[in-house]
Amino acid sequence: MKIMHLGDLHIGKTINQQNLLEEQSILLNRLVQDIREASIDVLVIAGDIYDRSIPSREAMKVFETFIYEVNQVQKIPVLLISGNHDSAERLGYGKAWYKGHEMHIGTTIDDALNPVSIDGVDFYLVPYVEPVVARHYFEDDSIRTHHDTYKRIIEQIEQRIDKGRINILVSHLFVTGGMTTESEREIIVGTIENVSLKLFDAFDYVMLGHLHTPDAIRDEKVFYSGSIMKYSFDEVHQRKGYRIFDLKKQQVSFITLSPPRDLEYATGTFGDAIKMKLAVDRNSYLKLELSDMEHINDPMFKLKQVYPYLLELKPMINNRDIHYKQREVQQLSHLELVKQFYLDMTDSEMDETQTLLIEQLINESRLMDETD
Amino acid sequence: MKIMHLGDLHIGKTINQQNLLEEQSILLNRLVQDIREASIDVLVIAGDIYDRSIPSREAMKVFETFIYEVNQVQKIPVLLISGNHDSAERLGYGKAWYKGHEMHIGTTIDDALNPVSIDGVDFYLVPYVEPVVARHYFEDDSIRTHHDTYKRIIEQIEQRIDKGRINILVSHLFVTGGMTTESEREIIVGTIENVSLKLFDAFDYVMLGHLHTPDAIRDEKVFYSGSIMKYSFDEVHQRKGYRIFDLKKQQVSFITLSPPRDLEYATGTFGDAIKMKLAVDRNSYLKLELSDMEHINDPMFKLKQVYPYLLELKPMINNRDIHYKQREVQQLSHLELVKQFYLDMTDSEMDETQTLLIEQLINESRLMDETD
């Protein structure tokens, strides 16, 4: 069996108002071809189908066209789960009907516990699940974190798993040690959402979505496919594409996808930029971070004449104020550090109320450290 | 063959912020039972499934549960079309998959031209179509009205229709002579949207949606089912339910549906209302139009103690200003009429610019009349 493992399509994604739907549509057409040419038997999509819980009609059309070609024309089973960007309810609408065509949509804990069996392989489709949902489902208030959530679901799976078969977990989560980027980080900031690799012992393979780089973790059986294209400017150096699992040969390979228009980031002086001396393709989607723009009127307008797909322009700060020496920083108190940071970011001093608040927070966090 | 004909479900509809989803869910459960008990062979839903183009997840769940019971559990073919309240694209998402389960969703002109054949009966599913869409589809700028639109579609159908079979048209439109109510009138005001009965000669039966009363027209083969429940206060005296077409017996019957909570309207004095002397059920959804409220503080609050589901309260206007004698009105010029209307509605006079604009519009419309 040959399985194509995709993740994080984020159909309908925009970067600074630039809709990427056309690029996405072209990439998905390429995938339809690849599926045919590589004789893929099963397509797995590990969550974040859409970028928003209510996708646009155009985004829905692009995805529908893709799965129509794969599932209805090529008659290939499609297994997909909802990610944190998807609305589980909307993505799962009609799943009873899709199931009859070997298109399986996992959006609930119930779905997760009942494997989809294809030619001797059991696929467990575990969607993105919020801890509050698991707490309610299992009637267990001790479930607080994403780790607790997936641990509980996987324990349930382990009780019914058939060790005589090949067992594959498909999920959408953040494995400890994985590296995040801007476009993944939109979910809950500040809570523990990591899941430990140890959870996956019962499975032969684990196909993950959520992190956008296929290199987020190195493991023999646990893999991210990464997103199909670059979705933020801190992903510019990541490779993008999909994985193929050849179960017979026990091989996992990564295939690179190149979108019609790349996403690039460069720094330099405004003068060099306007003279096209930056090491970027003029026709890429671009973020430029440039110095010496202080006295330029409407630099964005001027640069767009040269770089028509310039999406973001940031002045480069070339100063003494921010790049402190490490030793200096170490000598500052917590409060002084916050004050200095506030000054650098806002160009004004913290007022008395703010100072008091920060002092209070620092004290509280000290107390917490001590009681740990 | 026994066909249940429903229309205008408007799932998720709210009246003055009161969501009717619970009532709708109960009615649809009742329909599931009726379908079983009456040995229905085919379910037809003639448009306006949802009340909004982007239905809530809860509304989608209610509809999904209904069609799941009918189509997946009872294995009964379901034919449905999009109405003017539905998003054709959203409702049509996944229709290739549903089709394989004998659930047919007509949302485009292409769908309209290709009949669904079930046991010797051909169903033509003609969704609500905007003239601009037909103009584009047929590349014909002469299509301006709804009548033009449906005429053109039906002409195309007539070219391919098989007279040896029973031919049924399912559509969502406004037949000339039909009576409208508030909740239907949300579409295009002021353009001609009526469709003539003559269009339907080629069909044995026509099952319509759009008008909310089953009594909107009297015809031997053209029927509205009406909406499943009352959706505005000018529908309070309409009967609500669905139709059953028994093709073998050539009988069409109407079955009444009673929701758990009725919608009623009454007039009277505030004093009578508060003493429960109005001829309404206290537990109905209510609109009251009451006199003698001028000196009552927060009458809505007081009345809600008695009528917990009071949705709308209107002061009854008993005055000389607005009810002109017909003769007086006939003597006023167009401009004077508009001025008087403006004064009545806003309590202030039209200013000079407004007066000039209205004069100009009146002149333009006179010119148009003359060139007609």
Side-chain angles (χ1 to χ4, degrees):
Chain A
M1 180 185 290
K2 280 172 88 177
I3 304 165
M4 178 186 280
H5 164 210
L6 292 177
D8 298 88
L9 310 183
H10 288 271
I11 300 174
K13 169 88 180 169
T14 58
I15 301 181
N16 296 355
Q17 274 110 60
Q18 174 66 48
N19 197 317
L20 303 175
L21 200 54
E22 201 183 322
E23 274 78 19
Q24 292 171 324
S25 172
I26 291 168
L27 283 179
L28 293 175
N29 283 340
R30 150 92 194 268
L31 287 176
V32 167
Q33 259 182 291
D34 288 7
I35 287 169
R36 183 178 288 113
E37 285 165 14
S39 306
I40 295 296
D41 301 299
V42 175
L43 171 63
V44 165
I45 315 177
D48 284 358
I49 309 299
Y50 297 113
D51 195 56
R52 294 190 287 142
S53 60
I54 303 182
S56 70
R57 295 175 303 178
E58 293 75 19
M60 289 172 74
K61 189 80 212 158
V62 164
F63 184 60
E64 189 188 28
T65 303
F66 172 57
I67 49 173
Y68 181 84
E69 287 295 328
V70 177
N71 182 254
Q72 290 285 305
V73 178
Q74 296 192 39
K75 302 288 177 201
I76 289 169
V78 174
L79 314 183
L80 61 96
I81 57 173
S82 47
N84 54 304
H85 278 252
D86 301 305
S87 156
E89 291 89 346
R90 290 182 191 276
L91 191 68
Y93 180 84
K95 63 187 169 190
W97 287 266
Y98 294 113
K99 196 175 172 178
H101 298 265
E102 287 289 3
M103 184 158 122
H104 301 271
I105 305 179
T107 59
T108 65
I109 297 177
D110 277 325
D111 294 334
L113 303 182
N114 295 295
V116 174
S117 297
I118 300 174
D119 296 339
V121 180
D122 281 359
F123 293 87
Y124 288 88
L125 306 183
V126 181
Y128 174 78
V129 178
E130 292 278 2
V132 63
V133 172
R135 205 142 68 224
H136 182 79
Y137 182 92
F138 293 111
E139 295 177 3
D140 180 350
D141 273 348
S142 75
I143 299 173
R144 311 305 297 182
T145 65
H146 283 83
H147 183 81
D148 298 340
T149 301
Y150 292 105
K151 184 162 177 280
R152 175 61 63 90
I153 293 171
I154 289 170
E155 278 167 6
Q156 297 283 317
I157 292 174
E158 283 170 345
Q159 288 172 21
R160 55 189 84 186
I161 206 164
D162 179 351
K163 294 274 183 192
R165 299 168 70 87
I166 296 177
N167 292 291
I168 295 180
L169 175 68
V170 177
S171 197
H172 189 89
L173 45 77
F174 182 5
V175 169
T176 307
M179 301 172 294
T180 56
T181 64
E182 247 176 65
S183 55
E184 298 144 1
R185 233 175 277 140
E186 288 161 33
I187 43 159
I188 319 116
V189 173
T191 62
I192 300 151
E193 57 151 20
N194 295 26
V195 170
S196 160
L197 262 184
K198 284 178 220 148
L199 280 190
F200 306 135
D201 285 350
F203 301 97
D204 297 288
Y205 293 105
V206 180
M207 303 179 179
L208 296 177
H210 190 42
L211 298 186
H212 284 192
T213 165
D215 303 306
I217 46 167
R218 300 261 173 208
D219 191 88
E220 278 179 12
K221 62 177 198 175
V222 182
F223 295 90
Y224 282 99
S225 64
S227 56
I228 54 166
M229 57 185 286
K230 297 170 185 175
Y231 286 131
S232 78
F233 286 105
D234 55 358
E235 293 177 27
V236 293
H237 299 301
Q238 294 177 358
R239 49 188 192 148
K240 296 295 175 181
Y242 59 87
R243 294 196 180 274
I244 291 184
F245 289 71
D246 188 325
L247 300 192
K248 202 167 141 197
K249 293 190 189 161
Q250 300 191 22
Q251 275 179 358
V252 183
S253 50
F254 182 81
I255 314 295
T256 302
L257 281 175
S258 303
R261 195 179 304 289
D262 200 5
L263 192 80
E264 295 188 76
Y265 166 80
T267 60
T269 65
F270 180 83
D272 281 351
I274 212 83
K275 285 181 219 143
M276 290 191 253
K277 286 186 178 168
L278 300 183
V280 290
D281 180 341
R282 279 185 57 216
N283 287 309
S284 287
Y285 292 125
L286 288 178
K287 173 178 175 176
L288 298 180
E289 195 169 346
L290 303 180
S291 64
D292 305 308
M293 284 202 298
E294 291 78 4
H295 304 293
I296 311 286
N297 277 334
D298 204 348
M300 190 71 176
F301 176 81
K302 294 196 171 80
L303 288 163
K304 278 223 171 184
Q305 313 297 316
V306 182
Y307 307 100
Y309 299 96
L310 176 61
L311 299 185
E312 196 176 334
L313 177 62
K314 199 177 159 185
M316 201 194 291
I317 300 166
N318 37 3
N319 62 28
R320 37 199 163 42
D321 299 336
I322 287 185
H323 298 283
Y324 318 100
K325 287 188 193 137
Q326 203 181 357
R327 197 186 310 167
E328 281 171 15
V329 169
Q330 284 171 342
Q331 284 167 355
L332 293 174
S333 73
H334 288 134
L335 181 63
E336 284 166 335
L337 269 172
V338 176
K339 278 183 160 180
Q340 186 60 47
F341 180 72
Y342 187 90
L343 179 65
D344 292 336
M345 291 298 118
T346 67
D347 263 336
S348 63
E349 304 270 353
M350 269 165 52
D351 67 24
E352 207 172 327
T353 317
Q354 290 170 324
T355 308
L356 272 171
L357 191 65
I358 295 295
E359 277 183 323
Q360 200 180 329
L361 285 170
I362 290 169
N363 284 335
E364 278 173 20
S365 80
R366 274 202 190 113
L367 284 175
M368 280 172 67
D369 279 356
E370 283 160 14
T371 55
D372 247 6
Chain B
M1 180 185 291
K2 281 172 86 178
I3 305 165
M4 178 185 281
H5 164 209
L6 292 177
D8 298 88
L9 309 184
H10 288 272
I11 300 173
K13 169 88 180 169
T14 58
I15 301 181
N16 295 355
Q17 275 109 64
Q18 175 65 48
N19 197 317
L20 303 175
L21 200 55
E22 201 183 322
E23 276 78 18
Q24 292 172 323
S25 173
I26 291 168
L27 283 178
L28 293 175
N29 284 340
R30 149 94 195 267
L31 288 176
V32 167
Q33 261 183 288
D34 289 6
I35 286 169
R36 183 179 287 113
E37 284 165 16
S39 305
I40 296 296
D41 301 299
V42 175
L43 171 64
V44 164
I45 315 176
D48 284 358
I49 308 299
Y50 296 112
D51 195 57
R52 294 191 286 141
S53 60
I54 303 182
S56 70
R57 294 173 303 175
E58 293 76 17
M60 290 172 74
K61 189 79 211 160
V62 165
F63 183 61
E64 189 189 30
T65 303
F66 173 57
I67 49 172
Y68 181 84
E69 287 296 327
V70 177
N71 181 255
Q72 290 285 304
V73 178
Q74 296 192 40
K75 303 287 178 203
I76 289 169
V78 174
L79 314 183
L80 61 97
I81 58 174
S82 47
N84 54 303
H85 278 253
D86 301 305
S87 157
E89 290 90 347
R90 290 182 191 276
L91 192 68
Y93 180 84
K95 63 186 168 190
W97 286 266
Y98 295 112
K99 196 175 171 178
H101 298 264
E102 286 291 1
M103 185 160 122
H104 302 271
I105 305 179
T107 59
T108 64
I109 297 178
D110 277 327
D111 294 333
L113 303 181
N114 295 295
V116 173
S117 298
I118 300 174
D119 295 339
V121 180
D122 280 358
F123 292 89
Y124 288 87
L125 306 182
V126 180
Y128 174 79
V129 178
E130 292 279 1
V132 62
V133 171
R135 205 144 66 226
H136 182 79
Y137 183 91
F138 293 112
E139 296 177 3
D140 180 350
D141 274 347
S142 75
I143 299 173
R144 313 303 299 182
T145 65
H146 282 83
H147 183 81
D148 298 340
T149 301
Y150 292 105
K151 186 162 177 280
R152 176 60 63 89
I153 292 171
I154 288 170
E155 279 169 6
Q156 298 282 317
I157 291 174
E158 283 170 343
Q159 288 173 20
R160 56 189 82 184
I161 206 165
D162 179 349
K163 294 276 185 191
R165 299 166 71 87
I166 296 177
N167 292 292
I168 295 180
L169 175 68
V170 177
S171 197
H172 189 89
L173 46 78
F174 181 6
V175 169
T176 307
M179 300 171 297
T180 55
T181 63
E182 247 177 63
S183 55
E184 299 142 359
R185 233 175 276 139
E186 288 162 32
I187 44 161
I188 316 116
V189 173
T191 62
I192 300 152
E193 59 151 17
N194 295 25
V195 170
S196 161
L197 262 183
K198 283 180 222 148
L199 280 190
F200 306 135
D201 285 351
F203 301 97
D204 297 287
Y205 292 105
V206 180
M207 302 178 180
L208 297 177
H210 189 41
L211 298 186
H212 286 192
T213 165
D215 304 306
I217 45 166
R218 298 263 175 208
D219 191 88
E220 279 180 11
K221 60 176 201 177
V222 182
F223 295 90
Y224 282 99
S225 64
S227 56
I228 54 166
M229 57 184 287
K230 298 170 183 173
Y231 285 131
S232 78
F233 286 103
D234 55 357
E235 293 177 27
V236 291
H237 299 300
Q238 294 177 358
R239 50 187 192 147
K240 297 294 175 181
Y242 60 86
R243 294 196 179 274
I244 291 184
F245 289 70
D246 188 324
L247 299 193
K248 204 166 142 200
K249 295 190 190 161
Q250 299 193 21
Q251 274 178 358
V252 183
S253 49
F254 182 81
I255 315 294
T256 302
L257 281 175
S258 303
R261 196 180 303 290
D262 200 7
L263 192 80
E264 295 189 76
Y265 166 81
T267 60
T269 65
F270 180 82
D272 281 351
I274 213 83
K275 286 179 220 144
M276 290 191 249
K277 287 187 178 168
L278 301 182
V280 291
D281 180 341
R282 279 183 57 214
N283 288 309
S284 288
Y285 291 125
L286 289 178
K287 174 179 175 175
L288 299 181
E289 195 169 345
L290 302 180
S291 63
D292 306 306
M293 284 202 299
E294 291 77 3
H295 305 293
I296 312 287
N297 278 334
D298 203 348
M300 190 71 177
F301 177 80
K302 294 195 171 78
L303 288 163
K304 279 223 169 181
Q305 313 297 315
V306 182
Y307 307 100
Y309 299 96
L310 176 61
L311 300 185
E312 196 175 334
L313 177 61
K314 202 177 158 185
M316 204 191 291
I317 300 165
N318 36 5
N319 64 26
R320 32 187 172 49
D321 300 337
I322 286 183
H323 298 284
Y324 317 102
K325 289 190 190 133
Q326 204 183 357
R327 196 185 309 163
E328 280 171 16
V329 170
Q330 283 172 344
Q331 284 167 356
L332 293 174
S333 72
H334 288 134
L335 181 60
E336 284 165 335
L337 270 173
V338 175
K339 278 183 163 181
Q340 188 59 49
F341 180 73
Y342 187 88
L343 179 64
D344 291 336
M345 292 298 118
T346 66
D347 264 335
S348 62
E349 304 270 355
M350 272 166 49
D351 66 25
E352 206 173 328
T353 315
Q354 290 170 324
T355 308
L356 271 169
L357 191 64
I358 295 295
E359 278 185 323
Q360 200 180 331
L361 285 170
I362 290 169
N363 285 333
E364 278 173 19
S365 79
R366 274 202 189 111
L367 284 174
M368 279 172 67
D369 279 357
E370 284 161 14
T371 56
D372 244 7

